[in-house]
Amino acid sequence: MNILVCVKQIVDPDKIEYNSTTKTIKRSSQHLMNNPADLNALEFALRLKDIFPDSRVYTLSMGSLECKEKVKELIELGVDEAILLSDKRLAGSDASATSYALSCAIETLERFDLILCGDHSLDGETSIVPPQIAEYLGICHIASVVDIKPKDKDTLEIVKKVENILAKFEVKLPMLLSVKKDSNFVRFPKLSFMIRALSYEPKVLSLDDLRDIDVKRIGLEGSKTAVDDFEKEKMESISCKIYEQGSISEIECIAEVILKFI
Amino acid sequence: MDYFLTDSQKIIKRLAKKISDEVISKVAGKYDKEGIFPRDILDLLAYTELTGVYIPKEYGGFGGGVLEMCLVVEELSRNCAGIAVSYAATALGAYPIMLYGTENQKKKYLPKIAKGEAIAAFALTEADAGSDVSSIKTVAEKDGDFYILNGNKHWITNGGEADIYVVFAVTDKSKGPRGISAFIVEKGYEGFYCGKKEDKMGIRASSTTELIFENCKVPKENLLGREGTGFIIAMKTFDRTRPGVAAMAIGIAQGAYEHALRYAKERIQFGQPLTSFQAIQHMLADMYINIEAARALLYSTCRMIDSGAKDYTKESSACKVFASDVAMKITIDAVQIMGGNGYVKDYPVEKMMRDAKVTQIFEGANQIQRNIIASEIVKEL
Ligand SMILES: Cc1cc2nc3c(=O)[nH]c(=O)nc-3n(C[C@H](O)[C@H](O)[C@H](O)COP(=O)(O)OP(=O)(O)OC[C@H]3O[C@@H](n4cnc5c(N)ncnc54)[C@H](O)[C@@H]3O)c2cc1C
């Protein structure tokens, strides 16, 4: 089984800073991290490899060369090949342009039986990259996946969770699934993988390496959306009503409110 | 302090630290209180391949030495020495096989230990033979293709949990220390039982038990080295594993220091943090100095051993004595700095103080280590 996991290097949300003139997130390398939901997706890929050891797990990331160090951490977990799509012309790509660029990279690379993504990145929060990649590639997509188990080499049993509802599906590959954050426990690195990562050089692709890419559809110019402004949400001070010697009707009303929450 | 570890040593330290901080720190209190054997943590160490760091590559290990073993023990001990000792005692059981095993014995046992499929133990001490190890009474009598073992062992770490035991027994009473031999005994051998489990002051997540041998049949090919070399095997093994006790002590001390430092910075009394009082500052500075001094002595000793030195008995004893005395002092001071909060189980330093004590006692009490060092330096004069 050939599995590809899209892993984004994001800025640690606790250390995030916006550049209000360029309307982008400041990306300084020391605060980069692999997007948590993408690691949950990777964990499912590695579990499939545990079951089918002749499988190969690839990761694809898009970002500056500074992302290389974080990409190496994926090798430490047991990824076979890590690919970084890095090109200055990609800067400023919105979700749509990103999906287009990633899908061009995927088409250039290999034939994948399964493509996994995290269902949203902690910095962008759009959740639309995975379905758009699937659209560009012309394969099916299921979002909000919380469990993946193989039935056989080309059929998976998956569980999707929306609100409190779990829905089970049996899907035929190829397929793109986007995985919810915290849907599994991401494994620890292994010493031998860490040693491999020491000298591992991620395969870096530029736009010139991609087949049939239309550069007018990527970067700031190729983006369909533009960020207008960033604003940090101000938490309204929560008004608190103190009930003293409340009447029966007030107590019932409180009970109703509490019941709604539990 | 930069100890100029190699890239692979840095990786080993980072991986052990990650496990210690992300997993061990969360279970240490519970495992200590309930005396839970950390099989799940040992499984994780096996998965991450840290179980094999000190075992040669040809037997399925990583090919590191005593320093690699110590880096793991130190990091695990920062959060729980009880858990770390289960790992370290496996090394104590593996070293006699690495040093004195036949090719067949090495091939049979070391890959399992390296992969974490087997836990090992080292059984020397008896009720009446602690510091005076040469007075052990367990006997091994040759009977055809077997040795028949009879006797009891006390204080055996990983007792009942281990799969492979290196057991010391007398094969010739008339020869004193030269009449002791070492055997590899597997769990499940006929006549081999695990006795009482000790209810200990510290390192409570580890299992310390009595072992009972009642006409236990051990195949003769399980004799380690030659008959009569048991005492030498034990001493040469300790030379390599006492640094492991030092690493445990330094890990405990480092953990206690980190907790005390953080607490002292946050705790406000008389309108200022504890770190503003010189009495506290000096205690913290002494902690730092002593930890670095102990670590420098430990790593130097390990490097000496790993680069093939022939004799390192006094260096190995010195780092064990110094680090364990440092750990005891530092954990007592950490409790002092944290006041009432240091004395209760809500904070980990109380446990660290209990755990530190054993590092002055086992693998040869510190008084015995000083005897060894003294006899070596006087001999060298
Ligand atoms: C938790 C734990 C785990 C252990 N694990 C193992 C294990 O896995 N395998 C194993 O074989 N053993 C193990 N031991 C045994 C340990 O090595 C002994 O406890 C240790 O060697 C001391 O022996 P003892 O307890 O009999 O004390 P004793 O020998 O009775 O000594 C008591 C005190 O007298 C002092 N003393 C004794 N002789 C002298 C002397 N000549 N000069 C000066 N002072 C002296 C000692 O320093 C000590 O403080 C373990 C012990 C503990 C507590």
Side-chain angles (χ1 to χ4, degrees):
Chain A
M1 205 186 271
N2 260 354
I3 309 169
L4 178 80
V5 188
C6 297
V7 182
K8 184 178 183 183
Q9 286 71 46
I10 61 167
V11 179
D12 186 337
D14 295 336
K15 316 236 165 70
I16 217 155
E17 277 178 55
Y18 293 106
N19 184 330
S20 51
T21 29
T22 61
K23 309 269 172 67
T24 51
I25 296 167
K26 282 187 196 166
R27 291 184 184 275
S28 69
S29 60
Q30 76 254 44
H31 298 320
L32 285 179
M33 63 184 274
N34 290 310
N35 182 48
D38 304 358
L39 293 180
N40 294 116
L42 176 58
E43 174 61 30
F44 281 128
L46 295 170
R47 286 183 190 182
L48 289 171
K49 188 179 160 85
D50 291 340
I51 299 168
F52 304 117
D54 56 345
S55 300
R56 285 184 70 76
V57 175
Y58 298 76
T59 59
L60 174 61
S61 304
M62 181 174 130
S64 67
L65 290 176
E66 288 178 336
C67 296
K68 267 192 188 179
E69 279 312 304
K70 289 291 139 185
V71 167
K72 281 186 168 199
E73 286 180 12
L74 309 172
I75 297 292
E76 294 186 341
L77 296 174
V79 164
D80 294 295
E81 225 47 86
I83 299 124
L84 176 63
L85 176 59
S86 190
D87 197 307
K88 289 216 161 60
R89 289 170 283 177
L90 286 164
S93 294
D94 70 352
S96 154
T98 301
S99 318
Y100 173 66
L102 287 173
S103 62
C104 289
I106 294 170
E107 282 187 323
T108 308
L109 285 167
E110 298 261 347
R111 240 202 69 77
F112 296 104
D113 305 294
L114 176 64
I115 299 170
L116 296 172
C117 300
D119 79 344
H120 70 272
S121 66
L122 281 188
D123 58 352
E125 290 277 1
T126 67
S127 296
I128 56 177
V129 170
Q132 282 184 345
I133 297 175
E135 282 299 311
Y136 282 123
L137 297 175
I139 57 174
C140 288
H141 162 252
I142 294 179
S144 307
V145 171
V146 292
D147 198 16
I148 301 174
K149 285 200 181 79
K151 192 162 180 230
D152 53 55
K153 271 208 155 175
D154 49 22
T155 319
L156 299 178
E157 291 174 338
I158 64 153
V159 180
K160 159 189 176 109
K161 188 176 181 199
V162 179
E163 305 271 310
N164 288 333
I165 296 167
L166 292 174
K168 287 187 182 174
F169 295 83
E170 201 174 285
V171 298
K172 279 255 178 269
L173 299 178
M175 184 86 199
L176 189 147
L177 303 171
S178 50
V179 169
K180 259 179 142 46
K181 182 169 165 287
D182 298 328
S183 51
N184 55 29
F185 181 83
V186 180
R187 65 190 54 199
F188 274 84
K190 240 185 211 190
L191 194 50
S192 51
F193 295 150
M194 292 173 89
I195 296 291
R196 176 170 178 243
L198 264 184
S199 56
Y200 183 85
E201 270 302 310
K203 179 172 176 180
V204 179
L205 294 180
S206 80
L207 291 179
D208 301 329
D209 299 314
L210 306 192
R211 275 200 307 257
D212 308 327
I213 188 160
D214 176 359
V215 286
K216 289 200 276 315
R217 292 171 68 184
I218 50 109
L220 210 50
E221 277 173 41
S223 293
K224 294 189 167 71
T225 57
V227 177
D228 207 24
D229 206 0
F230 283 114
E231 198 182 324
K232 275 213 168 157
E233 198 179 14
K234 287 184 200 72
M235 297 295 278
E236 297 290 41
S237 63
I238 298 162
S239 63
C240 174
K241 187 169 178 191
I242 298 169
Y243 291 90
E244 274 180 66
Q245 293 172 333
S247 67
I248 296 290
S249 65
E250 266 177 347
I251 291 171
E252 277 173 356
C253 163
I254 298 165
E256 228 168 72
V257 172
I258 293 171
L259 277 175
K260 252 194 216 163
F261 281 98
I262 56 176
Chain B
M1 183 91 72
D2 191 338
Y3 289 98
F4 295 98
L5 298 176
T6 63
D7 282 345
S8 61
Q9 286 164 349
K10 280 183 194 152
I11 285 177
I12 289 170
K13 196 172 162 74
R14 173 156 68 89
L15 183 53
K17 181 176 183 337
K18 186 174 165 72
I19 293 171
S20 186
D21 290 344
E22 292 178 19
V23 186
I24 296 182
S25 68
K26 306 220 164 66
V27 300
K30 181 181 162 72
Y31 285 20
D32 175 69
K33 195 167 172 201
E34 296 172 25
I36 298 171
F37 185 77
R39 196 159 282 274
D40 48 357
I41 308 286
L42 294 177
D43 286 346
L44 180 57
L45 294 172
Y47 171 78
T48 55
E49 300 172 340
L50 288 177
T51 39
V53 292
Y54 55 89
I55 293 176
K57 281 200 173 116
E58 59 264 44
Y59 305 110
F62 177 74
V66 175
L67 181 51
E68 279 76 3
M69 184 262 287
C70 285
L71 291 172
V72 178
V73 173
E74 182 187 339
E75 281 306 327
L76 303 185
S77 301
R78 260 180 56 251
N79 283 299
C80 183
I83 291 173
V85 79
S86 307
Y87 172 89
T90 289
L92 180 60
Y95 266 109
I97 304 177
M98 284 198 283
L99 295 172
Y100 294 93
T102 61
E103 194 52 31
N104 278 344
Q105 288 168 339
K106 289 182 188 174
K107 272 199 197 130
K108 183 169 178 195
Y109 296 109
L110 295 179
K112 285 188 190 158
I113 297 173
K115 294 203 165 51
E117 291 161 7
I119 298 174
F122 181 94
L124 175 62
T125 309
E126 296 179 4
D128 296 326
S131 302
D132 181 13
V133 290
S134 55
S135 64
I136 59 166
K137 293 198 178 69
T138 298
V139 290
E141 278 173 305
K142 198 150 183 208
D143 181 9
D145 287 341
F146 293 91
Y147 282 92
I148 309 297
L149 266 61
N150 277 293
N152 285 9
K153 295 286 172 187
H154 266 243
W155 305 110
I156 307 309
T157 306
N158 286 346
E161 303 288 348
D163 309 277
I164 301 162
Y165 298 77
V166 171
V167 179
F168 294 82
V170 177
T171 41
D172 187 343
K173 257 188 213 158
S174 66
K175 289 192 176 152
R178 286 171 203 275
I180 297 174
S181 305
F183 300 89
I184 304 170
V185 179
E186 291 179 31
K187 186 183 203 161
Y189 274 7
E190 201 184 314
F192 173 33
Y193 313 100
C194 176
K196 181 181 144 241
K197 185 176 170 183
E198 303 298 339
D199 188 6
K200 304 188 293 291
M201 170 199 278
I203 56 163
R204 293 178 54 82
S206 72
S207 162
T208 314
T209 71
E210 194 182 353
L211 301 180
I212 300 157
F213 301 89
E214 275 177 9
N215 293 322
C216 170
K217 279 174 82 175
V218 178
K220 72 173 194 303
E221 61 269 21
N222 283 23
L223 173 72
L224 258 180
R226 282 172 290 108
E227 262 192 37
T229 57
F231 187 77
I232 293 287
I233 292 177
M235 294 306 127
K236 291 285 175 201
T237 298
F238 285 147
D239 282 352
R240 289 202 168 223
T241 57
R242 277 192 301 262
V245 180
M248 193 184 303
I250 292 166
I252 298 171
Q254 177 74 33
Y257 160 72
E258 285 171 16
H259 283 289
L261 181 62
R262 211 174 308 123
Y263 184 90
K265 226 174 146 179
E266 283 164 12
R267 172 79 175 166
I268 308 288
Q269 287 295 283
F270 303 99
Q272 42 200 321
L274 295 184
T275 43
S276 67
F277 304 119
Q278 198 183 46
I280 301 291
Q281 287 173 0
H282 284 188
M283 276 163 110
L284 290 167
D286 282 339
M287 286 179 170
Y288 169 79
I289 297 165
N290 280 297
I291 290 171
E292 291 300 355
R295 190 177 282 132
L297 181 57
L298 169 67
Y299 290 6
S300 303
T301 305
C302 291
R303 285 181 171 135
M304 181 181 171
I305 300 173
D306 292 337
S307 30
K310 268 187 84 182
D311 188 12
Y312 36 82
T313 301
K314 70 173 182 306
E315 289 79 4
S316 155
S317 290
C319 69
K320 190 264 185 189
V321 168
F322 187 68
S324 58
D325 286 352
V326 159
M328 200 63 245
K329 168 90 171 83
I330 285 180
T331 51
I332 289 175
D333 286 351
V335 169
Q336 189 68 24
I337 288 174
M338 293 175 64
N341 279 331
Y343 199 65
V344 292
K345 291 188 194 294
D346 301 5
Y347 290 84
V349 292
E350 162 276 337
K351 169 187 181 295
M352 291 170 167
M353 182 174 145
R354 288 186 283 111
D355 288 351
K357 187 64 213 168
V358 81
T359 62
Q360 294 179 308
I361 299 173
F362 66 7
E363 284 202 51
N366 281 6
Q367 289 73 15
I368 298 297
Q369 301 307 326
R370 288 188 166 91
N371 292 351
I372 294 173
I373 296 165
S375 92
E376 293 272 322
I377 55 181
V378 171
K379 203 165 65 187
E380 282 168 12
L381 206 68

